[in-house]
Each structure stands twice: as C-alpha cells, then as structure tokens.
Amino acid sequence: MSLPTHAETPVAIAIHGGAGTIERGRLSDEQEASIRSALTAAARAGHQVLAEGGSSLDAVTVAVRLLEDAPEFNAGRGAVLTFDGTVELDASIMDGASLAAGAVAGMTGVRHPIEAARRVMSESPHVMLVGSGADAFARAQGLEFKDPDWFITEFRLQQLRAVQARQQSATQLSEDWFSTVGAVALDAEGNLAAATSTGGMTNKRWGRVGDSPIIGAGTYADNRSCAVSATGHGEYFIRHAVAHEICARVRLTGVTLADAADAVVNQVLREAGGDGGVIAVDPAGNISMPFNTPGMYRASIDVDGHLRVAIYGDDD
Ligand code: ASP
C-alpha cells in the first residue's frame, strides 16, 4: 500500500485582512489594487508551502508575516495607533494536531509578532507572554526588531487624529473598520493551523488587549473540527469565545463548518452587537468566510487550487 502523494491529498488556505464598513467607493482604485495584490501574494505564498508538502503551521506563518509587512493592514508595519500614538502588537498561533498554542500581546518593536507567538509555542513552556516580557523573550530568541517609527504610517496617524477629534470620551475606540490579519490552513498530513496578528483598535489605551491573541477568541485550531481566525470588535469576540465556539459546534453537534461559522457570526455576534467576521477551514478542506459587516478583506485557495480574492459582501 502506498501512501498518498502530496498531490493527492487536499490542501487549502484562507486568509483575511480585516472586516468592517468596507463599502464600494470608500477605497481608491489604487488602494483596492494594492490590497488585492497583497492578499493574493499572501495566499499564494502560504499555498506554495502546502503544495510542497510543508506544514499548515509554516503556511499560516508565511502568509501572516507577509501581511504584517504590508502597510495596508493593521498588523506589524501599518498597525493602528494607541491613544498615545504608539503601536502595541498582539498575535497568536495554534497547532490543530497537538493543541499547542503561542500568543503575545502589547509588543512594541518586533517586526513579525506572529514569529514571536510561534516561538512562545515552540520554545517556551508558556502559551502567552505580554508587554516588556514578550519583547525580552523575542529579543532572546533573536527575532528582528525595528524602531518605533518604522511601524507608523501617515494613514494611521490621520486615522488616530480623526478618532480623537470626534471622541466623546477618552475611552472611545474606532469601531467601524478592522484590518487585523489572519490565516488558516489544512496541510497534506491533514493537520490544521490558525494564526492572527493585529495592532488592536485605534485609540486603545491602558494596555487594552482584544481577541486576536486570545486562544479560543480570535484564534483556534483543532484537527477534530476546524481552524479559525477572527477579525472584528474584539471585546465581543472574547465574550463569545468565537473561534472556539465555532470549533466546538462542529465537533460536538456535527453541523457543517459553514453552518457553525455562519450561526456564530450572523446570529450570536450580530444579536450581541459584535461587528466582524472569521475565516475557517475544516479537515476536508471546506473553507468558510462569513462576516456581518459590509466587507472583509479575504482570499483563499481551495482543495482544487482555485484562488479567490474578495473585499465586498457582493464580491462573489
Ligand atoms: N479584533 C481586533 C481587536 O479587537 C481588531 C481587528 O480585527 O482589527 O483587537
């Protein structure tokens, strides 16, 4: 009996670059083109890892690293700014085969927070490190650091000024546009992985941390059900343990991934008032990408190798 070759076993990847009031006309043609090309490049890079027999963990890491470097998205370079005009970066990653996970929050200078999360998973006995401790750990791991100014784009400065100008209270966050990044993948061994990276929400303060680095809220992967990465108003995603909730429904109730993801995003979150969406993949390679906002930056390459890149709700 011969083992299946990589070409015979299904692989799949989905990525997102955030959800929100992304309506036609809000983006210039130039912005839209650069977002679509960044999404395409990240999906292709992750898929190439899978097609060559690489792991789903490597695929999601490669895809998220590229999106962290793309200034259009709220992760790594181009992350949203805090109340004080600084960046505080959060990320997490999970291995569906072992349920191993790593997360970081409130990092200030690491170029690729997803690498830091991955090292927490593979090189430490912990799941989550925060703030100066996470920075020190990443430095000890030899990860690349950049000056604070390297992360800050003119667009994010303007966004912060606009939010602060219209704020009614010092705690108000920007709530209409989320551009966190994430990836989920199925590899040729049948293993699932999920990864998410973000700067959080514009004008955040007092060490606020959202769902993205919280295992079970913004990120979850379990070979028995699915892999999920979320984007949206993090406080709601934490309260409803969104990523784990979708996986638990698939594993325990036997509903399809599409039904579970749709119910959590379009019923549970919508009723609670939580804006956002998720990307998810199951062990058969089914991909689901529901969102309850006008748009979500997203791309996928399915088990047939079909690439799909979309922004708006009616993009199909
Ligand atoms: N979920 C992220 C947070 O609340 C924001 C985003 O998706 O852009 O920190």
Side-chain angles (χ1 to χ4, degrees), residues 74 178-180 200-201 208 210-212 231-232 234:
N74 170 20
F178 313 100
S179 46
T180 287
M201 286 172 74
R208 179 266 184 191
D211 61 310
S212 307
T231 173

